[in-house]
Amino acid sequence: MKTKSSRLSVRKTHKLFIGGAFPRSESGRVLSAIAADGVTALGNYSQASRKDFRDAVVKARAVSGKWSGASAFLRAQILYRTAELLEARRDELAAAVRDAVGGAESRAQDEISRSVDLLVHYAGWTDKFGPLFSSVNPVASPHFNFTFPEPTGVVVIVCPDTPPLLALCGLLAPVILSGNTAIVLASERAPLPALAFAEIVATSDVPPGVVNILAGSRAELAPHFASHMDVNAIVNGHADADLDRTLQAGSATNLKRYAAHQLEPKRWFDTPENTYWILDTVEMKTAWHPVGV
């Protein structure tokens, strides 16, 4: 009699997401993600190094012109497509959130629902923030004078530990909708939901390099975020005084913009949408045009 042969399950090692690809860290470092109970191993993931971050900046800068030059309508469609795919994989992402941070299934499902709603909400702002924040300025000369927002360039986003997916979507969407490209450092304590979300980004028509997602140590990578001369802005969602000081130090090197959005976990679920966060990573440009020309 033949017996059913036993087999080893293929355990997943979550990779980094850089330039639309899923590389392992160049350092070869792999860590084990631990569940909310502090004991159960959920899976392995690559730990990003300085070199991985620098590679992500190169990819983000290379596609910056193309993404900023895309129409607002196209960026809206891509954000909406990302929301559609997240909705379609909600059970998988909810399980990743529940395993990583604990809590009831209903809370994990609520985090997915609110993440989807955030993406849809900000998709609607891609063609509206420009007219809202632009102005026609009175000047004492025969000219028209216009002020309008333009993307600042490459933006680093540091996510808080929890909620791991909702905070990522809430920090990322206002950055990329205006035409910026982003390098995201996922939750240090619960990185797997963000790395799973990277698979959604990869299939949602987001051009490779627009969104890059790293996992690793904030303390190790923050000084490199601050000192890199081709990073234009930093958005910090993790509340830590030492991290704040380290990241803000970069403002003195190449005049990086710095924004801190450090909400309590509950507030992410209550009022995560803030249209004015879009202004954190845009530059207000002014143009003059002679009257009658």
Side-chain angles (χ1 to χ4, degrees):
M1 174 183 284
K2 292 184 178 180
T3 60
K4 185 177 180 180
S5 61
S6 60
R7 63 179 295 275
L8 296 175
S9 60
V10 179
R11 297 199 60 181
K12 184 174 184 177
T13 296
H14 294 261
K15 317 298 194 303
L16 308 175
F17 184 55
I18 300 174
F22 292 90
R24 297 177 183 268
S25 172
E26 61 82 29
S27 67
R29 295 179 299 179
V30 175
L31 297 179
S32 182
I34 305 301
D37 60 14
V39 177
T40 306
L42 298 175
N44 297 325
Y45 67 95
S46 295
Q47 183 181 16
S49 67
R50 177 189 182 186
K51 177 64 164 55
D52 297 317
F53 164 62
R54 293 172 67 183
D55 289 346
V57 174
V58 170
K59 296 295 186 181
R61 178 60 65 191
V63 76
S64 179
K66 179 181 178 181
W67 180 242
S68 64
S71 69
F73 177 78
L74 177 59
R75 292 198 298 267
Q77 290 294 301
I78 290 173
L79 273 174
Y80 191 84
R81 176 62 176 161
T82 305
E84 287 180 331
L85 293 178
L86 179 55
E87 183 74 65
R89 295 177 61 174
R90 66 160 38 249
D91 290 340
E92 174 191 347
L93 271 294
V97 169
R98 184 189 66 246
D99 291 344
V101 300
E105 171 69 20
S106 59
R107 184 173 178 83
Q109 289 285 347
D110 187 34
E111 181 165 347
I112 305 306
S113 295
R114 291 178 183 271
S115 299
V116 171
D117 293 347
L118 265 179
L119 293 173
V120 172
H121 172 85
Y122 282 115
W125 275 104
T126 55
D127 62 351
K128 299 176 181 65
F129 81 94
L132 177 64
F133 296 124
S134 297
S135 64
V136 178
N137 309 312
V139 294
S141 64
H143 295 86
F144 293 112
N145 184 273
F146 308 96
T147 298
F148 49 92
E150 290 188 348
T152 191
V154 176
V155 180
V156 168
I157 300 170
V158 180
C159 293
D161 281 330
T162 187
L165 184 61
L166 179 57
L168 184 156
C169 292
L171 294 170
L172 176 64
V175 168
I176 64 172
L177 73 83
S178 63
N180 294 301
T181 55
I183 297 106
V184 181
L185 181 60
S187 163
E188 187 171 337
R189 194 177 77 192
L192 297 195
L195 297 176
F197 179 72
E199 299 175 3
I200 291 175
V201 175
T203 56
S204 64
D205 299 328
V206 177
V210 170
V211 176
N212 306 273
I213 300 179
L214 308 179
S217 166
R218 282 186 289 261
E220 175 186 344
L221 294 174
H224 306 305
F225 295 163
S227 63
H228 200 296
M229 296 298 288
D230 206 23
V231 170
N232 301 106
I234 298 174
V235 176
N236 180 22
H238 182 67
D240 180 85
D242 290 337
L243 181 64
D244 268 329
R245 283 191 292 270
T246 298
L247 294 176
Q248 289 186 63
S251 300
T253 58
N254 72 338
L255 301 180
K256 292 180 180 68
R257 297 173 68 92
Y258 180 79
H261 300 312
Q262 298 155 349
L263 305 183
E264 293 293 328
K266 184 177 184 298
R267 287 191 60 202
W268 281 107
F269 287 87
D270 292 341
T271 54
E273 303 98 348
N274 191 326
T275 304
Y276 289 96
W277 285 8
I278 300 171
L279 293 179
D280 293 327
T281 53
V282 298
E283 302 285 347
M284 304 306 292
K285 301 296 178 68
T286 299
W288 295 73
H289 192 279
V291 174
V293 176

